[in-house]
Amino acid sequence: MSIVVTGATGHLGRHVVRQLLEKVPADQVTAVVRDRDRAADLAALGVRIAVADYNAPETFDGLFTAGDRVLLVSGNEFDKGRVRQHTVVIDAAKKAGVALLAYTSAPETLKATLADDHRATEAVLTGSGVPYVLLRNGWYHENYTEQLAPVLEHGAVVQAAGEGRISSASRADYAAAAVAVLTGEGHENKAYELGGDEAWSFAEYAAELSRQTGREIVYNPVSVEAYTGILTGAGVPGPLADVFAGVDASIAKGELVVSTGDLSRLAGRPTTPLSEAVAAALKG
């Protein structure tokens, strides 16, 4: 039996692997990666490295074994058919007879286009007969704190989210929930709605940036159309800009507020405050 993490060299995957090593021996952890060279740090920790690609079904042949617990980290190649990619992993897991497959999805409340692939993947997984867990991850602090350069340059947070609020948390928080599910018992065929303990607005985010930088940072709400134009002007491909702007429209409607408390319960601790994530990002 192994605990297998796909997308293990991605931002979330690395957190999961490293936190797993605090709970189980390294030889029980398999990191699935596309590029073995990018996983050298994980290999040095004693983790088994398996090379496979969501776009090449044959690379998953024989990768899983009966009794494995698998974390399917959702792909980020929006233009390559993510549902088809995820189905490759689900099919391989079913064929092997894995004990559990956890999937990083999106909150059930999110109706933006971004969520369509997640809902479709959930349907494939729940219909597969594989024991599943739906980890419906909310937004990450890092979606914003890793994009501070233009905010600091212009002294403005520009979004199309109106006065909407977001229950974000850190990647490490979501990883802790995944680790709890992968190493715990009694999670089969459950869905968890995951989000930070404290919801915040972009006006509050701008105020926090102002407090920590000592500079005036304002929130400049714009229309969805204007925001799409800003993104494409910055070099974001049109279809992806539409996805991001659509998420902001959903935020304005309150669709990324998650108040279940599932994340802190699974992690066994309060979620990381936004202020901490901002401080870490500013230290760089």
Side-chain angles (χ1 to χ4, degrees):
M1 188 278 286
S2 188
I3 297 177
V4 186
V5 179
T6 73
T9 52
H11 291 302
L12 180 63
R14 279 188 190 281
H15 277 290
V16 173
V17 171
R18 289 182 176 276
Q19 290 187 39
L20 276 171
L21 296 180
E22 299 171 10
K23 297 276 188 80
V24 298
D27 62 5
Q28 291 182 20
V29 179
T30 298
V32 181
V33 303
R34 285 193 295 189
D35 182 348
R36 186 179 294 275
D37 292 341
R38 288 190 59 204
D41 60 316
L42 300 180
L45 296 172
V47 171
R48 175 178 172 246
I49 306 299
V51 178
D53 188 328
Y54 294 161
N55 298 303
E58 68 279 2
T59 60
F60 281 90
D61 289 347
L63 194 154
F64 303 124
T65 57
D68 281 352
R69 294 182 173 202
V70 179
L71 176 65
L72 169 53
V73 176
S74 56
N76 59 6
E77 296 176 314
F78 296 95
D79 58 337
K80 291 191 176 179
R82 292 198 299 168
V83 180
R84 178 185 54 78
Q85 291 179 331
H86 300 156
T87 300
V88 164
V89 181
I90 294 167
D91 286 348
K94 180 178 182 177
K95 184 177 180 181
V98 305
L100 188 73
L101 193 153
Y103 170 66
T104 62
S105 190
E108 189 172 33
T109 50
L110 183 64
K111 307 304 180 188
T113 303
L114 177 71
D116 292 349
D117 288 348
H118 291 303
R119 296 290 90 83
T121 300
E122 287 185 5
V124 173
L125 178 54
T126 57
S128 70
V130 175
Y132 66 84
V133 181
L134 305 178
L135 297 169
R136 291 177 172 153
N137 288 356
W139 231 219
Y140 301 146
H141 291 329
E142 291 90 345
N143 290 346
Y144 302 107
T145 59
E146 289 181 351
Q147 310 296 328
L148 283 181
V151 173
L152 298 177
E153 178 183 350
H154 299 291
V157 173
V158 180
Q159 301 285 158
E163 298 177 6
R165 304 181 75 78
I166 309 169
S167 304
S168 66
S170 71
R171 290 193 186 107
D173 294 335
Y174 291 106
V179 168
V181 163
L182 292 168
T183 60
E185 300 298 333
H187 300 289
E188 290 84 357
N189 304 330
K190 290 185 178 179
Y192 294 108
E193 301 291 334
L194 305 176
D197 295 336
E198 300 286 338
W200 52 271
S201 68
F202 282 106
E204 291 167 341
Y205 177 51
E208 183 62 31
L209 288 169
S210 299
R211 186 182 71 80
Q212 293 200 30
T213 62
R215 298 170 46 195
E216 184 182 6
I217 309 286
V218 300
Y219 171 42
N220 180 17
V222 299
S223 68
V224 169
E225 293 75 20
Y227 187 55
T228 304
I230 290 167
L231 292 173
T232 54
V236 177
L240 202 53
D242 289 339
V243 168
F244 292 151
V247 169
D248 267 26
S250 286
I251 291 170
K253 298 173 187 173
E255 293 176 10
L256 275 176
V257 173
V258 179
S259 56
T260 61
D262 283 353
L263 181 52
S264 54
R265 273 196 298 274
L266 282 174
R269 56 171 172 75
T271 60
T272 305
L274 179 65
S275 58
E276 281 188 25
V278 168
L282 290 172
K283 285 177 185 174

